[in-house]
Amino acid sequence: EESSARASHPPLQWGALDDVVMGGVSESGMETDALVDGIPCALFKGVVRTERNGGFASMRTKNLDPPLNLGAYDELRLRVKGNGQRFKLMIRTSAGFDVVGYSKSFDTEADTWQDISLPFEDFVPVFRAKTLSPEEAEPLDPSKVVSLQIMLSKFEYDGELNPSFKPGDFELAIGEIKAVMKEEPAPRFVYVSSAGVTRPNRPGIDVEVEPPAVKLNDTLGGILTYKLKGEDVVRDSGIPFCIVRPCALTEEPEGAPLVVDQGDTIKGKVSREDVASLCCSLFSLPDATDTTFEIKSTVPFSEPFVQPETFEERTIEDWSGLLVGAQVNTGVTGKTINGVYTGKEKEADVVKVEVV
Protein backbone atom coordinates (compact mmCIF):
# COMPACT_ATOMS: atom_id res chain seq x y z
CA GLU A 1 0.00 0.00 0.00
CA GLU A 2 1.13 3.54 -0.63
CA SER A 3 0.17 7.04 0.36
CA SER A 4 1.26 10.27 -1.24
CA ALA A 5 1.70 13.82 -0.03
CA ARG A 6 0.58 16.83 -1.96
CA ALA A 7 2.52 20.03 -1.77
CA SER A 8 2.09 21.97 1.48
CA HIS A 9 3.94 25.04 0.21
CA PRO A 10 3.32 27.68 -2.50
CA PRO A 11 3.94 26.64 -6.13
CA LEU A 12 7.60 26.00 -6.87
CA GLN A 13 9.44 28.87 -8.54
CA TRP A 14 11.94 27.59 -11.10
CA GLY A 15 14.97 29.34 -12.55
CA ALA A 16 17.49 28.28 -15.20
CA LEU A 17 20.90 27.02 -14.12
CA ASP A 18 22.71 26.01 -17.32
CA ASP A 19 26.31 25.47 -18.34
CA VAL A 20 26.66 29.20 -19.06
CA VAL A 21 27.92 29.44 -15.46
CA MET A 22 31.10 27.68 -16.68
CA GLY A 23 31.33 29.20 -20.17
CA GLY A 24 28.92 26.93 -22.05
CA VAL A 25 26.10 27.94 -24.38
CA SER A 26 23.21 25.61 -23.41
CA GLU A 27 19.85 27.09 -22.45
CA SER A 28 16.65 25.89 -20.84
CA GLY A 29 13.33 27.00 -19.39
CA MET A 30 10.31 25.69 -17.48
CA GLU A 31 6.72 26.23 -18.61
CA THR A 32 4.75 25.68 -15.43
CA ASP A 33 1.30 25.83 -17.07
CA ALA A 34 1.88 23.59 -20.09
CA LEU A 35 -0.46 20.97 -21.56
CA VAL A 36 0.98 17.73 -22.93
CA ASP A 37 -1.45 15.12 -24.28
CA GLY A 38 -4.17 17.16 -22.59
CA ILE A 39 -2.51 16.77 -19.20
CA PRO A 40 -1.56 19.87 -17.16
CA CYS A 41 2.15 19.74 -16.40
CA ALA A 42 5.42 21.61 -16.10
CA LEU A 43 7.53 21.39 -19.27
CA PHE A 44 11.32 21.43 -18.88
CA LYS A 45 12.77 22.13 -22.30
CA GLY A 46 15.73 23.71 -24.03
CA VAL A 47 18.88 23.02 -26.00
CA VAL A 48 22.02 21.33 -24.67
CA ARG A 49 25.18 22.22 -26.55
CA THR A 50 28.62 20.75 -25.96
CA GLU A 51 30.60 23.63 -27.43
CA ARG A 52 32.98 25.54 -25.18
CA ASN A 53 33.25 22.60 -22.75
CA GLY A 54 29.55 22.78 -21.94
CA GLY A 55 26.99 20.00 -21.83
CA PHE A 56 24.21 20.51 -19.30
CA ALA A 57 20.95 22.36 -18.80
CA SER A 58 18.90 22.48 -15.62
CA MET A 59 16.13 24.22 -13.72
CA ARG A 60 16.44 24.83 -9.99
CA THR A 61 13.75 25.99 -7.60
CA LYS A 62 13.94 29.05 -5.46
CA ASN A 63 14.81 28.04 -1.89
CA LEU A 64 11.84 26.93 0.21
CA ASP A 65 11.50 28.84 3.45
CA PRO A 66 10.74 27.10 5.70
CA PRO A 67 12.24 23.89 4.28
CA LEU A 68 9.81 21.17 3.18
CA ASN A 69 9.65 18.37 5.73
CA LEU A 70 9.34 15.01 3.95
CA GLY A 71 10.86 13.03 6.80
CA ALA A 72 7.78 10.80 7.10
CA TYR A 73 8.02 9.69 3.46
CA ASP A 74 10.13 7.07 1.71
CA GLU A 75 10.55 8.32 -1.84
CA LEU A 76 9.69 10.84 -4.51
CA ARG A 77 7.42 9.71 -7.32
CA LEU A 78 7.63 11.49 -10.68
CA ARG A 79 5.08 11.32 -13.49
CA VAL A 80 7.06 12.27 -16.60
CA LYS A 81 7.12 12.04 -20.38
CA GLY A 82 10.66 12.22 -21.73
CA ASN A 83 12.68 11.76 -24.88
CA GLY A 84 14.61 8.58 -24.09
CA GLN A 85 17.47 10.31 -22.28
CA ARG A 86 18.74 10.03 -18.73
CA PHE A 87 17.96 12.96 -16.43
CA LYS A 88 18.89 13.80 -12.85
CA LEU A 89 16.82 15.04 -9.94
CA MET A 90 18.76 16.83 -7.22
CA ILE A 91 17.73 17.78 -3.70
CA ARG A 92 19.51 20.34 -1.55
CA THR A 93 19.11 20.62 2.20
CA SER A 94 20.98 23.88 2.74
CA ALA A 95 20.26 27.34 1.42
CA GLY A 96 23.66 28.16 -0.10
CA PHE A 97 24.08 28.34 -3.86
CA ASP A 98 27.21 26.26 -4.45
CA VAL A 99 26.64 23.57 -1.85
CA VAL A 100 26.37 19.79 -1.58
CA GLY A 101 23.38 18.32 -3.37
CA TYR A 102 21.84 14.87 -3.39
CA SER A 103 21.33 13.38 -6.84
CA LYS A 104 19.46 10.46 -8.39
CA SER A 105 19.51 9.71 -12.12
CA PHE A 106 16.49 8.30 -13.94
CA ASP A 107 15.93 7.02 -17.47
CA THR A 108 13.02 8.00 -19.67
CA GLU A 109 11.31 6.29 -22.58
CA ALA A 110 10.71 8.39 -25.67
CA ASP A 111 7.17 9.77 -25.99
CA THR A 112 5.88 7.65 -23.08
CA TRP A 113 4.36 8.72 -19.77
CA GLN A 114 6.13 6.94 -16.90
CA ASP A 115 5.92 6.77 -13.12
CA ILE A 116 9.48 7.05 -11.77
CA SER A 117 10.25 6.04 -8.18
CA LEU A 118 13.22 7.73 -6.52
CA PRO A 119 13.79 6.33 -2.98
CA PHE A 120 15.41 8.88 -0.69
CA GLU A 121 17.95 6.28 0.38
CA ASP A 122 19.24 6.09 -3.22
CA PHE A 123 20.12 9.79 -3.52
CA VAL A 124 23.89 10.24 -3.67
CA PRO A 125 25.70 13.26 -2.16
CA VAL A 126 27.52 15.17 -4.89
CA PHE A 127 29.39 18.40 -5.37
CA ARG A 128 29.84 19.62 -8.95
CA ALA A 129 29.08 16.09 -10.29
CA LYS A 130 31.67 14.49 -8.01
CA THR A 131 30.31 11.94 -5.54
CA LEU A 132 31.21 12.43 -1.90
CA SER A 133 32.18 9.82 0.66
CA PRO A 134 30.38 9.29 4.00
CA GLU A 135 33.23 11.20 5.61
CA GLU A 136 32.60 14.17 3.32
CA ALA A 137 28.81 14.37 3.49
CA GLU A 138 25.95 13.06 5.59
CA PRO A 139 23.19 11.00 3.94
CA LEU A 140 20.18 12.87 2.61
CA ASP A 141 17.84 14.16 5.32
CA PRO A 142 14.44 14.47 3.61
CA SER A 143 13.06 16.48 6.52
CA LYS A 144 15.04 19.51 5.34
CA VAL A 145 14.30 19.90 1.62
CA VAL A 146 15.36 23.43 0.64
CA SER A 147 15.37 23.15 -3.17
CA LEU A 148 14.94 20.80 -6.12
CA GLN A 149 16.82 20.75 -9.40
CA ILE A 150 16.05 18.85 -12.62
CA MET A 151 18.95 18.36 -15.03
CA LEU A 152 19.95 16.93 -18.41
CA SER A 153 23.73 16.53 -18.54
CA LYS A 154 26.39 15.05 -20.78
CA PHE A 155 28.01 13.73 -17.61
CA GLU A 156 26.93 11.29 -14.94
CA TYR A 157 29.25 11.40 -11.92
CA ASP A 158 33.02 11.42 -11.38
CA GLY A 159 33.76 12.06 -15.07
CA GLU A 160 31.59 9.22 -16.41
CA LEU A 161 29.42 10.03 -19.43
CA ASN A 162 25.64 9.87 -19.54
CA PRO A 163 25.06 6.74 -21.71
CA SER A 164 21.91 8.08 -23.37
CA PHE A 165 22.86 11.74 -23.77
CA LYS A 166 22.23 13.44 -27.11
CA PRO A 167 23.02 17.12 -27.67
CA GLY A 168 20.33 19.34 -29.11
CA ASP A 169 16.70 20.09 -28.34
CA PHE A 170 15.01 18.25 -25.49
CA GLU A 171 11.73 18.21 -23.57
CA LEU A 172 10.69 16.59 -20.30
CA ALA A 173 7.03 16.91 -19.30
CA ILE A 174 6.55 16.68 -15.52
CA GLY A 175 2.97 15.85 -14.63
CA GLU A 176 3.61 15.34 -10.94
CA ILE A 177 6.27 15.28 -8.25
CA LYS A 178 4.97 13.78 -5.02
CA ALA A 179 6.31 12.23 -1.84
CA VAL A 180 5.20 8.66 -1.20
CA MET A 181 4.93 6.45 1.86
CA LYS A 182 5.29 2.74 1.22
CA GLU A 183 2.84 1.96 4.00
CA GLU A 184 -0.51 3.70 3.93
CA PRO A 185 -1.15 5.75 7.08
CA ALA A 186 -4.43 6.44 8.78
CA PRO A 187 -5.65 10.05 8.73
CA ARG A 188 -3.60 12.40 10.89
CA PHE A 189 -6.01 15.30 10.57
CA VAL A 190 -9.81 14.97 10.70
CA TYR A 191 -11.80 18.03 9.63
CA VAL A 192 -15.50 18.28 10.46
CA SER A 193 -17.09 20.34 7.69
CA SER A 194 -20.76 20.32 6.68
CA ALA A 195 -23.03 18.65 4.18
CA GLY A 196 -24.10 21.22 1.60
CA VAL A 197 -20.78 23.03 1.22
CA THR A 198 -20.66 22.42 -2.54
CA ARG A 199 -24.32 23.20 -3.25
CA PRO A 200 -24.42 27.02 -3.37
CA ASN A 201 -24.29 28.01 -7.06
CA ARG A 202 -24.23 24.37 -8.22
CA PRO A 203 -25.77 24.20 -11.74
CA GLY A 204 -29.40 23.09 -11.72
CA ILE A 205 -29.85 22.99 -7.97
CA ASP A 206 -33.11 24.19 -6.40
CA VAL A 207 -32.06 25.98 -3.23
CA GLU A 208 -35.68 26.20 -2.11
CA VAL A 209 -35.66 22.50 -1.21
CA GLU A 210 -32.19 22.57 0.32
CA PRO A 211 -31.32 23.02 4.03
CA PRO A 212 -31.45 26.62 5.30
CA ALA A 213 -27.66 27.02 5.29
CA VAL A 214 -27.61 26.40 1.52
CA LYS A 215 -30.55 28.69 0.80
CA LEU A 216 -29.17 31.45 3.04
CA ASN A 217 -25.47 30.97 2.32
CA ASP A 218 -24.96 34.53 1.00
CA THR A 219 -27.12 36.03 3.75
CA LEU A 220 -25.04 34.20 6.36
CA GLY A 221 -21.81 35.67 4.98
CA GLY A 222 -20.89 32.73 2.79
CA ILE A 223 -20.52 30.29 5.68
CA LEU A 224 -20.62 27.20 3.43
CA THR A 225 -18.33 28.83 0.88
CA TYR A 226 -15.70 29.38 3.56
CA LYS A 227 -16.12 25.88 4.94
CA LEU A 228 -15.37 24.55 1.44
CA LYS A 229 -12.28 26.75 1.23
CA GLY A 230 -11.19 25.25 4.53
CA GLU A 231 -11.64 21.78 3.06
CA ASP A 232 -9.47 22.71 0.09
CA VAL A 233 -6.69 23.87 2.41
CA VAL A 234 -6.80 20.53 4.22
CA ARG A 235 -6.81 18.57 0.95
CA ASP A 236 -3.78 20.53 -0.29
CA SER A 237 -1.88 20.36 3.00
CA GLY A 238 0.15 17.22 2.35
CA ILE A 239 -1.11 15.75 5.64
CA PRO A 240 -3.04 12.45 5.49
CA PHE A 241 -6.58 13.65 6.17
CA CYS A 242 -10.26 12.79 6.32
CA ILE A 243 -13.05 15.34 5.82
CA VAL A 244 -16.40 14.51 7.40
CA ARG A 245 -19.52 16.37 6.24
CA PRO A 246 -22.32 15.72 8.73
CA CYS A 247 -25.89 16.71 7.95
CA ALA A 248 -27.75 18.79 10.56
CA LEU A 249 -26.26 18.06 13.97
CA THR A 250 -28.59 17.10 16.81
CA GLU A 251 -28.37 16.53 20.55
CA GLU A 252 -29.95 13.09 20.19
CA PRO A 253 -28.06 10.07 21.57
CA GLU A 254 -25.75 8.06 19.37
CA GLY A 255 -26.71 4.72 17.88
CA ALA A 256 -29.18 5.54 15.11
CA PRO A 257 -28.80 3.71 11.77
CA LEU A 258 -26.45 5.72 9.56
CA VAL A 259 -25.81 6.36 5.86
CA VAL A 260 -22.46 7.45 4.41
CA ASP A 261 -22.38 8.94 0.92
CA GLN A 262 -20.27 11.07 -1.42
CA GLY A 263 -21.11 13.77 -3.93
CA ASP A 264 -22.77 16.09 -1.39
CA THR A 265 -26.45 15.40 -2.09
CA ILE A 266 -27.91 13.85 1.06
CA LYS A 267 -30.07 15.70 3.60
CA GLY A 268 -31.11 14.82 7.11
CA LYS A 269 -29.78 14.82 10.64
CA VAL A 270 -27.10 13.07 12.67
CA SER A 271 -26.20 12.95 16.34
CA ARG A 272 -23.15 14.91 17.51
CA GLU A 273 -22.25 11.85 19.57
CA ASP A 274 -22.15 9.66 16.46
CA VAL A 275 -19.95 12.19 14.66
CA ALA A 276 -17.58 12.36 17.64
CA SER A 277 -17.32 8.58 17.80
CA LEU A 278 -16.62 8.41 14.06
CA CYS A 279 -13.93 11.09 14.22
CA CYS A 280 -12.09 9.31 17.04
CA SER A 281 -12.13 6.05 15.07
CA LEU A 282 -10.90 7.62 11.83
CA PHE A 283 -7.38 7.97 13.23
CA SER A 284 -7.18 4.16 13.13
CA LEU A 285 -8.73 3.64 9.68
CA PRO A 286 -6.25 3.74 6.75
CA ASP A 287 -9.13 3.20 4.29
CA ALA A 288 -10.44 6.64 5.25
CA THR A 289 -7.21 8.45 4.38
CA ASP A 290 -7.63 11.36 1.95
CA THR A 291 -11.40 10.90 1.64
CA THR A 292 -14.30 13.35 1.84
CA PHE A 293 -17.79 12.07 2.62
CA GLU A 294 -21.20 12.95 4.05
CA ILE A 295 -23.03 11.19 6.88
CA LYS A 296 -26.59 11.21 8.19
CA SER A 297 -29.07 9.15 10.20
CA THR A 298 -31.84 7.25 8.47
CA VAL A 299 -34.28 8.48 11.13
CA PRO A 300 -36.48 11.30 9.73
CA PHE A 301 -36.35 14.78 11.26
CA SER A 302 -39.93 14.35 12.42
CA GLU A 303 -39.06 11.30 14.53
CA PRO A 304 -36.87 11.75 17.61
CA PHE A 305 -34.39 8.90 17.99
CA VAL A 306 -34.55 6.92 21.22
CA GLN A 307 -31.49 4.88 21.99
CA PRO A 308 -32.42 1.20 22.53
CA GLU A 309 -31.60 -0.43 25.84
CA THR A 310 -29.46 -3.00 24.00
CA PHE A 311 -27.27 -0.29 22.44
CA GLU A 312 -23.52 -0.92 22.38
CA GLU A 313 -21.01 1.71 21.37
CA ARG A 314 -19.75 1.39 17.81
CA THR A 315 -16.25 -0.04 17.48
CA ILE A 316 -13.52 0.87 15.02
CA GLU A 317 -14.50 -2.25 13.10
CA ASP A 318 -18.12 -1.05 12.93
CA TRP A 319 -17.07 2.30 11.48
CA SER A 320 -14.71 0.62 9.06
CA GLY A 321 -17.52 -1.61 7.83
CA LEU A 322 -19.77 1.41 7.28
CA LEU A 323 -17.15 3.19 5.15
CA VAL A 324 -16.20 0.09 3.18
CA GLY A 325 -19.85 -0.70 2.54
CA ALA A 326 -20.36 2.83 1.21
CA GLN A 327 -17.38 2.37 -1.13
CA VAL A 328 -15.87 5.68 -0.09
CA ASN A 329 -13.20 6.76 -2.60
CA THR A 330 -10.37 9.26 -2.51
CA GLY A 331 -10.49 12.28 -4.79
CA VAL A 332 -14.29 12.67 -4.66
CA THR A 333 -15.41 16.12 -3.49
CA GLY A 334 -18.75 16.84 -5.18
CA LYS A 335 -17.46 20.25 -6.20
CA THR A 336 -18.37 22.12 -9.36
CA ILE A 337 -15.33 22.57 -11.60
CA ASN A 338 -15.47 24.89 -14.61
CA GLY A 339 -19.27 24.78 -14.44
CA VAL A 340 -19.41 20.96 -14.24
CA TYR A 341 -20.75 19.22 -11.15
CA THR A 342 -18.32 16.38 -10.39
CA GLY A 343 -20.82 14.30 -8.39
CA LYS A 344 -19.37 11.00 -7.21
CA GLU A 345 -16.60 11.07 -9.81
CA LYS A 346 -13.03 11.81 -8.84
CA GLU A 347 -12.41 15.50 -9.28
CA ALA A 348 -9.15 14.93 -11.17
CA ASP A 349 -10.88 12.63 -13.69
CA VAL A 350 -13.55 15.22 -14.46
CA VAL A 351 -10.95 17.97 -14.84
CA LYS A 352 -8.92 15.76 -17.21
CA VAL A 353 -11.95 15.16 -19.42
CA GLU A 354 -12.67 18.89 -19.54
CA VAL A 355 -9.07 19.63 -20.55
CA VAL A 356 -9.13 17.04 -23.34
Side-chain angles (χ1 to χ4, degrees), residues 7-14 61-66 68 236:
S8 56
H9 52 78
L12 297 174
Q13 301 179 48
W14 297 88
T61 66
K62 182 178 179 180
N63 287 345
L64 301 173
D65 185 18
L68 183 61
D236 291 338

Side-chain angles (χ1 to χ4, degrees), residues 16-28 47 49 51-58:
L17 183 57
D18 303 321
D19 57 22
V20 294
V21 297
M22 51 185 286
V25 291
S26 299
E27 55 187 315
S28 66
V47 182
R49 303 182 178 95
E51 295 88 351
R52 298 172 59 178
N53 296 317
F56 75 86
S58 76

Side-chain angles (χ1 to χ4, degrees), residues 97-110:
F97 179 77
D98 195 18
V99 295
V100 172
Y102 297 85
S103 182
K104 181 72 174 74
S105 299
F106 62 93
D107 295 312
T108 65
E109 298 178 15

Side-chain angles (χ1 to χ4, degrees), residues 242-258:
C242 181
I243 296 174
V244 181
R245 294 172 173 169
C247 290
L249 293 168
T250 74
E251 303 299 329
E252 294 177 342
E254 63 182 315
L258 299 172

Side-chain angles (χ1 to χ4, degrees), residues 29-45 113 171-175 355:
M30 183 77 81
E31 294 182 18
T32 56
D33 57 353
L35 280 177
V36 174
D37 300 332
I39 299 173
C41 64
L43 186 61
F44 172 41
K45 65 179 183 178
W113 283 100
E171 287 189 355
L172 178 71
I174 307 171
V355 170

